[in-house]
Amino acid sequence: MNSNPATHRPILALPDNLISQIAAGEVVERPSAVVKEVLENALDAGASNVVIRLEEGGVKRIAITDNGRGIPPDQLTLAVARHATSKIASLDELEHVATLGFRGEALASIASVSLLTLTTRTADAPHAWQIENGKVSPASGAQGTTVDVQDLYYNTPARRKFLKSEQTEFGHCAEIVRRIALARPDVSFSLSHNGKAVDHWNVSAIDKRSAQILGEAFSNARLSLDESAGPLRIHGFVGLPTASKARADAQFFYVNGRFVRDKLLTHAVRAAYQDVLHGDRYPSYVLGLDLDPALVDVNVHPSKIEVRFRDSRSVHQFVFHAVSRALAQTSATAFGTVPGPMSAGSGVAAPASGSMPWISGEQTTFAAQFANPSPYAGGGSTGGSGYGNAYQNPYRPQPNGGVTQSMESYGAFFRPNVNGGVNEAGASYAPANPVANSLPDDDYPLGFALAQLHGVYVLAQNSKGLVLVDMHAAHERILYEQLKNALDENSMPVQPMLIPITFFADAVEVGTVEEHQDTLKALGFDMAAISPTTLAVRAVPALLKNADAQSLARDVLREVREFGGSRVLIDRRNELLGTLACHTAVRANRSLTVPEMNALLRQMEHTERSDQCNHGRPTWVQLGLNDLDKMFLRGQ
């Protein structure tokens, strides 16, 4: 039996001060919440310069000064009253709110749990005015407003016990300032703690502001983004997969200038990174979504950090596709050098759809691209299945996976000649530059192959220095993107088997083939049960024709059996295609000729997301000449 006397009390109206303290429990969770609310008010007031001074992590003091419009003295009392604001006056204005603040309870809540002094001056006032403990009096001060909050939670000691250490609380306050400063590069911000300057950001462009706040690693490995569709616009920067982090602490998303943590937006961005980022890594980005305020409800959380969209599906798809397109149209290195998309003068235009113009239902071979002459064109083939079939190899492959040309032929590709001429491979070359060696220009960001290292890596030279390529990872990405494009266009090229491949299968595998024929055909497989224990593979995707048909078939059947036909083609599509691509990608210790290596580089330049494999690992890295000089202590 409950004997609490409070259960027998009559219903009474709560005192205003207690109501404000209850509201403060939602609004003023910790010192950083005070910083957020006051900064938002400063920006709503049109401030172009904001100074934040903190003491003891904001618990002892938070003083924020802005140069905004200020508050007329006759409105100071209302400014610290509950549910009083100049930002909205009707339900219609609430539904179209374009300001950061609008609830009209922040200052009242702050005043109920601290010693609040508000000093302000408008442009036409002869002097400033101040309100403290409900009393308004003249004061000195420049145009704008200073909100001075001292001894936070002095009258609610129980809540003060929940605060963390001084450095932890300061860290939360500094993070709030960073978030808001990222959204408003047109405003200068200064932050100090215990009298020491911590951060200062002058008015600048968003690219410079984001580089200052997120650091050089992000600024060197980011892609700009600006797309519009109807009432929606997304803009900002997304980090390359190589700029990913172990924690989700470099993710900033703004809706109409307001920082939000929205599950829908986070999922859309994460989905765009799904096949270029390792599962335990988090992308970095600074993105802003602008739309009609009537299409988003910002009044769903006391701290206004959550929003609700009227058409959430359309917003999700718009963000997903915009970020996907940004990630698809670049090349990059793990060290942040971004060569960028191929230019129009590169010889082979990259199609908008991302498909390869030299594919016509057959598996892509490295050497096939060399139908168009390159500066280092030449014949050669490894003699292996599926690679270099268009060439007769005059040079014998080396079993140790080293350079496949003889030294004389290899040197002919790079031998300078002051008069120019034709090299032993039949390719013409220009006279040597007496000032500097001739290097591949930026039309070929990955340069041209020099050699193969241990049958695993391709070494190439570009205008910046040395390029190292993981040939298996690179070829896997190329095949993966081709499979995705073919499946998206419902045009998966099929290679019939001259003699069907048969293998033993259990009853479950036989049943899977009979039940999911449509799914298998969509993936480019033609399988049939020829007995209760035997399956025959009669056709496979042409892009995978050189893989082990039995292993391919078993992998596909396992995925279809586990997840069902429809889910494999929708939710599990990328995982399945990645598995199939891995079956056929060129393996380690496979010797490639220089033309084949060059063809691989050209395909990488024309393949979406080719800077990393579908497991999120980089496919190539750049070592600049400066890096090499440092290694060898040149110039020191």
Side-chain angles (χ1 to χ4, degrees):
M1 180 178 178
N2 187 0
S3 58
N4 187 346
T7 60
H8 305 293
R9 291 176 181 169
I11 299 174
L12 299 173
L14 294 176
D16 283 348
N17 187 53
L18 182 57
I19 292 173
S20 294
Q21 290 181 336
I22 293 172
E26 293 182 333
V27 178
V28 192
E29 182 182 2
R30 61 195 324 159
S32 60
V34 175
V35 174
K36 174 182 179 295
E37 296 292 342
V38 177
L39 282 180
E40 289 182 346
N41 282 341
L43 296 178
D44 286 340
S48 61
N49 180 60
V50 182
V51 178
I52 306 102
R53 301 187 299 275
L54 305 175
E55 294 181 18
E56 296 183 8
V59 178
K60 182 178 180 181
R61 187 182 187 192
I62 300 171
I64 298 179
T65 301
D66 68 66
N67 63 345
R69 290 185 294 272
I71 305 172
D74 59 339
Q75 296 180 22
L76 275 176
T77 303
L78 275 176
V80 296
R82 288 189 308 111
H83 306 308
T85 180
S86 62
K87 300 172 185 179
I88 59 171
S90 66
L91 177 60
D92 182 66
E93 290 185 353
L94 175 62
E95 293 177 346
H96 294 80
V97 64
T99 54
L100 297 174
F102 56 85
R103 292 177 178 272
E105 58 184 3
L107 290 178
S109 298
I110 293 168
S112 69
V113 292
S114 67
L115 302 176
L116 174 67
T117 302
L118 191 153
T119 306
T120 185
R121 180 180 178 181
T122 58
D124 57 350
H127 57 78
W129 292 84
Q130 176 178 288
I131 182 168
E132 184 177 11
N133 294 325
K135 297 180 180 179
V136 178
S137 59
S140 61
Q143 179 184 337
T145 303
T146 296
V147 178
D148 194 344
V149 179
Q150 300 188 48
D151 294 329
L152 194 61
Y153 302 125
Y154 79 98
N155 57 353
T156 53
R159 176 168 290 276
R160 191 162 187 165
K161 292 179 181 178
F162 283 95
L163 297 179
K164 304 299 181 183
S165 68
E166 175 180 327
Q167 282 303 312
T168 298
E169 295 302 334
F170 169 71
H172 286 289
C173 293
E175 177 65 16
I176 291 294
V177 177
R178 291 173 70 223
R179 289 178 189 172
I180 294 178
L182 268 174
R184 294 297 302 271
D186 59 322
V187 178
S188 64
F189 293 85
S190 297
L191 172 64
S192 63
H193 185 223
N194 293 335
K196 296 181 180 179
V198 177
D199 283 312
H200 176 75
W201 302 295
N202 290 320
V203 173
S204 61
I206 181 60
D207 56 342
K208 184 176 181 180
R209 177 66 61 85
S210 60
Q212 292 172 332
I213 294 179
L214 296 184
E216 185 178 355
F218 178 78
S219 65
N220 286 339
R222 64 185 179 183
L223 308 168
S224 61
L225 171 63
D226 194 339
E227 287 197 22
S228 299
L232 304 176
R233 179 194 174 213
I234 187 170
H235 55 93
F237 299 97
V238 291
L240 292 167
T242 49
S244 63
K245 305 188 70 176
R247 297 186 300 168
D249 59 353
Q251 300 181 347
F252 299 87
F253 212 119
Y254 302 86
V255 175
N256 289 343
R258 184 192 311 278
F259 176 82
V260 299
R261 290 195 186 279
D262 184 80
K263 293 180 179 178
L264 177 122
L265 298 175
T266 302
H267 181 273
V269 176
R270 183 73 188 185
Y273 276 90
Q274 66 179 344
D275 63 348
V276 295
L277 198 64
H278 195 276
D280 60 355
R281 303 288 293 179
Y282 295 90
S284 302
Y285 53 83
V286 179
L287 292 172
L289 178 66
D290 297 338
L291 70 166
D292 186 339
L295 301 178
V296 56
D297 184 4
V298 296
N299 188 31
V300 297
H301 192 275
S303 64
K304 303 184 291 293
I305 204 168
E306 296 178 7
V307 294
R308 183 182 297 118
F309 296 101
R310 178 176 295 180
D311 189 350
S312 58
R313 178 175 176 80
S314 295
V315 171
H316 181 281
Q317 290 298 101
F318 172 69
V319 172
F320 166 72
H321 288 296
V323 176
S324 295
R325 281 190 289 270
L327 292 172
Q329 297 174 0
T330 61
S331 299
T333 76
F335 294 95
T337 302
V338 184
M342 292 288 286
S343 68
S346 61
V348 181
S353 65
S355 60
M356 305 299 134
W358 49 85
I359 299 174
S360 58
E362 295 296 324
Q363 178 180 353
T364 302
T365 62
F366 296 156
Q369 195 264 346
F370 273 73
N372 294 320
S374 77
Y376 295 162
S381 171
T382 63
S385 170
Y387 299 98
N389 294 333
Y391 290 85
Q392 297 297 321
N393 184 7
Y395 312 114
R396 298 175 58 185
Q398 302 299 313
N400 62 1
V403 179
T404 56
Q405 273 74 21
S406 65
M407 287 304 296
E408 292 79 7
S409 300
Y410 173 77
F413 287 116
F414 308 100
R415 184 181 301 131
N417 186 311
V418 294
N419 297 317
V422 178
N423 64 21
E424 297 176 23
S428 60
Y429 52 88
N433 187 331
V435 179
N437 291 331
S438 179
L439 293 174
D441 60 30
D442 289 336
D443 284 346
Y444 299 93
L446 295 180
F448 298 97
L450 300 174
Q452 191 177 16
L453 181 65
H454 290 291
V456 178
Y457 300 103
V458 172
L459 279 64
Q461 174 183 251
N462 67 358
S463 60
K464 298 179 179 64
L466 180 67
V467 172
L468 299 173
V469 177
D470 181 334
M471 67 183 194
H472 172 76
H475 192 216
E476 186 175 349
R477 166 58 72 178
I478 291 169
L479 289 173
Y480 175 56
E481 291 295 331
Q482 291 173 6
L483 288 168
K484 283 201 304 181
N485 291 333
L487 190 58
D488 288 342
E489 297 169 5
N490 295 317
S491 59
M492 182 73 74
V494 173
Q495 175 64 54
M497 310 295 287
L498 184 62
I499 301 175
I501 303 297
T502 60
F503 60 93
F504 174 80
D506 58 31
V508 176
E509 289 177 324
V510 172
T512 302
V513 168
E514 294 175 344
E515 183 179 351
H516 297 285
Q517 278 293 319
D518 291 342
T519 299
L520 294 174
K521 288 181 179 179
L523 292 168
F525 289 88
D526 182 3
M527 288 187 246
I530 59 176
S531 81
T533 59
T534 306
L535 287 176
V537 181
R538 298 185 296 206
V540 296
L543 295 169
L544 310 177
K545 67 180 181 181
N546 293 300
D548 184 334
Q550 179 178 334
S551 298
L552 279 177
R554 289 192 182 279
D555 280 344
V556 170
L557 292 177
R558 182 171 58 250
E559 291 279 338
V560 172
R561 180 175 68 248
E562 184 174 355
F563 299 102
S566 59
R567 189 179 174 195
V568 159
L569 292 177
I570 300 175
D571 298 339
R572 297 283 303 177
R573 185 196 73 155
N574 289 347
E575 290 86 347
L576 174 58
L577 296 183
T579 300
L580 299 181
C582 191
H583 273 283
T584 310
V586 61
R587 299 297 179 181
N589 298 319
R590 175 69 177 277
S591 296
L592 301 177
T593 64
V594 168
E596 287 172 331
M597 289 186 278
N598 278 324
L600 173 62
L601 300 179
R602 300 293 79 77
Q603 284 185 307
M604 290 174 64
E605 291 166 349
H606 291 293
T607 299
E608 294 181 347
R609 308 174 184 87
S610 63
D611 51 308
Q612 62 282 311
C613 74
N614 44 302
H615 305 298
R617 296 187 295 108
T619 59
W620 64 285
V621 295
Q622 174 86 59
L623 286 177
L625 290 176
N626 290 336
D627 300 321
L628 296 172
D629 289 343
K630 290 178 183 177
M631 291 181 187
F632 292 98
L633 304 179
R634 288 178 61 86
Q636 298 186 17

